[in-house]
Amino acid sequence: MLNRYLTAEMLKLRHSLALLLVSAAPVLVMAICVLIGLHGTEPMRLDRYAMTGAAFWAFAMLPMTVTALSVLMAQMEHGPRSWDHLLALPGARRWLFLAKMLVMLVLVAAMTMWLFALLLLGARLVAAIHAVAGRLDVVLLRDTLAKMAAASVLMCVIQLWTALRFRSFVPPLVLGILGTFIAVAAASAREGAYFPWLMPLHILSSEPAMQQMALRIGAAGGAAAMFAMIVDLARREA
């Protein structure tokens, strides 16, 4: 039954801007990193180039993309007002919202892999045009981005939950903007490790304990929030 709803959600993406968003966001990060790498006369350190890309992704582009993605996925049903029909289908209340959440997490994982490939490509481009120093630690970059994706689960659930809960796109949009704004203000605070929008960024913390805390709360908290989201949304009136 879940497979049917997953397939349906994936097919819906073909008629939305979600795939364009997922493709374009990592490209913007790579472009900015390349421009930074080509700037200046001193050799560009490849390790700094990679971590700059990861930091920009976690701090700004990932939260903004998740906000937009949650709105797009929710408006597929809110726009045509198709909840009455969908929730009347067999098993819909149990599987529909889980399928939407899983598809969103798959898209975030896909963006992460796409960003990884683009940053490697960008490093080659910078090295071909500009002097570079050091070496790019591919394994470190891969693991860092993967941990950021896992730490972002709680943020993704909160965003999609809000987007599905309200018919208007304004509440999830405001939530995403507010979350990003607070993240900017609290980025250096130790308490930021408990703030969902900052958990991906804290994967770059120099303190291993802070990294583990952000990863555990983001992933485990996301799983718990996902369960609560499904229970809450399943009670809505068809």
Side-chain angles (χ1 to χ4, degrees):
M1 184 68 75
L2 177 59
N3 290 338
R4 295 179 182 178
Y5 284 100
L6 287 172
T7 302
E9 291 301 318
M10 295 300 293
L11 290 175
K12 291 176 189 176
L13 295 177
R14 298 185 304 175
H15 306 291
S16 74
L17 296 175
L19 295 181
L20 177 61
L21 175 66
V22 168
S23 301
V27 173
L28 293 177
V29 175
M30 185 270 279
I32 291 174
C33 290
V34 168
L35 291 175
I36 293 175
L38 295 176
H39 180 72
T41 57
E42 296 184 359
M44 176 63 184
R45 293 188 56 86
L46 290 178
D47 56 345
R48 183 179 301 173
Y49 158 87
M51 290 303 104
T52 297
F56 182 64
W57 175 249
F59 189 62
M61 192 58 72
L62 178 58
M64 290 190 294
T65 304
V66 165
T67 298
L69 188 59
S70 67
V71 171
L72 286 172
M73 293 187 67
Q75 288 301 313
M76 292 177 188
E77 273 67 51
H78 287 320
R81 298 177 180 270
S82 58
W83 285 119
D84 290 351
H85 168 69
L86 288 175
L87 293 180
L89 295 174
R93 293 179 180 274
R94 180 181 301 176
W95 301 116
L96 174 59
F97 302 111
L98 175 60
K100 278 190 173 293
M101 190 69 251
L102 292 178
V103 168
M104 183 175 184
L105 294 180
V106 167
L107 292 177
V108 171
M111 283 195 298
T112 301
M113 291 186 288
W114 179 223
L115 175 64
F116 173 67
L118 287 172
L119 288 177
L120 295 183
L121 178 63
R124 289 179 176 271
L125 181 61
V126 171
I129 301 175
H130 193 273
V132 297
R135 58 182 292 272
L136 180 61
D137 192 332
V138 176
V139 174
L140 177 61
L141 177 60
R142 180 200 65 194
D143 292 348
T144 298
L145 293 177
K147 290 178 181 177
M148 286 178 174
S152 72
V153 173
L154 179 57
M155 174 183 65
C156 292
V157 174
I158 294 173
Q159 279 290 162
L160 186 60
W161 190 350
T162 305
L164 293 173
R165 203 69 180 81
F166 297 94
R167 188 179 300 276
S168 172
F169 67 88
V170 175
L173 192 61
V174 170
L175 176 64
I177 295 172
L178 183 61
T180 304
F181 178 78
I182 295 176
V184 172
S188 60
R190 190 173 185 85
E191 293 77 8
Y194 300 97
F195 188 60
W197 279 258
L198 275 175
M199 288 175 185
L201 183 64
H202 275 82
I203 297 299
L204 296 176
S205 174
S206 58
E207 302 180 31
M210 187 77 74
Q211 294 181 20
Q212 290 300 317
M213 183 183 301
L215 183 59
R216 290 172 182 172
I217 296 177
M226 190 187 309
F227 176 78
M229 179 194 80
I230 294 170
V231 171
D232 174 61
L233 294 177
R235 295 175 177 173
R236 69 182 302 158
E237 292 296 327

